[in-house]
């Protein structure tokens, strides 16, 4: 029996929920799911150019765990790119360091250290939704997301 999975710390939710292939013969039926911790590993190592020790400290995991997460992410990303599959970013055992909300009234994105806010600081509307929940769970209510079905590679 394996050990329990430790939650990985993610700075904030990604700005996109996935990518679709563009071109003539993309494999539109196949969906590949990149977990949020895999996304964070790519963001820290490839986008921010941190070394593995620095990235592991930020995610509050061991360097060897980060290496395994990063390898899975690279394989998924390469598969989506080569096969022309849709890439979805969602799920995983994670905790957000910063929380992101969307105001449905003024359409602003709100970044907060607080786990729950009741109104938009821009327009004082109470019509806000957590994008953290939208990324972690299958979002059925906002219709802004296209979710992978049963045939998604994980």
């Amino acid at each position: 029996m394996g050990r329990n999975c430790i939650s990985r710390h993610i700075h904030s939710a990604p700005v996109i929920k996935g990518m679709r292939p563009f071109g003539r013969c993309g494999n539109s039926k196949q969906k590949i799911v990149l977990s949020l911790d895999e996304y964070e590993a790519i963001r820290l190592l490839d986008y921010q150019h941190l070394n593995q020790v620095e990235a592991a400290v930020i995610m509050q995991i061991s360097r060897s765990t980060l290496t395994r997460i990063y390898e899975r992410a690279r394989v998924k990303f390469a598969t989506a790119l080569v096969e022309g599959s849709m890439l979805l970013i969602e799920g995983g055992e994670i905790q957000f360091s910063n929380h992101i909300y969307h105001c449905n009234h003024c359409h602003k994105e709100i970044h907060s250290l607080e786990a729950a806010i009741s109104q938009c600081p821009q327009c004082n509307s109470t019509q806000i939704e957590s994008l953290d929940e939208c990324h972690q769970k299958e979002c059925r209510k906002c219709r802004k997301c296209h979710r992978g079905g049963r045939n998604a590679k994980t």
Side-chain angles (χ1 to χ4, degrees), residues 80-150:
L81 185 64
V82 172
E83 294 179 3
S85 300
M86 183 182 295
L87 183 69
L88 301 173
I89 305 169
E90 63 187 14
E93 294 292 323
I94 58 105
Q95 289 181 345
F96 288 107
S97 300
N98 296 320
H99 303 279
I100 300 179
Y101 299 89
H102 174 78
C103 178
N104 291 322
H105 184 260
C106 69
H107 304 289
K108 296 286 183 188
E109 201 170 87
I110 306 154
H111 295 259
S112 172
L113 294 174
E114 297 177 37
I117 60 172
S118 59
Q119 67 183 33
C120 175
Q122 298 286 330
C123 67
N124 295 322
S125 171
T126 57
Q127 298 176 9
I128 56 173
E129 62 185 327
S130 169
L131 296 184
D132 300 354
E133 292 174 12
C134 191
H135 275 283
Q136 286 183 282
K137 301 174 186 164
E138 279 197 30
C139 178
R140 301 250 186 250
K141 65 180 179 177
C142 75
R143 282 191 258 163
K144 296 175 194 145
C145 312
H146 179 75
R147 289 296 190 208
R150 290 178 175 83

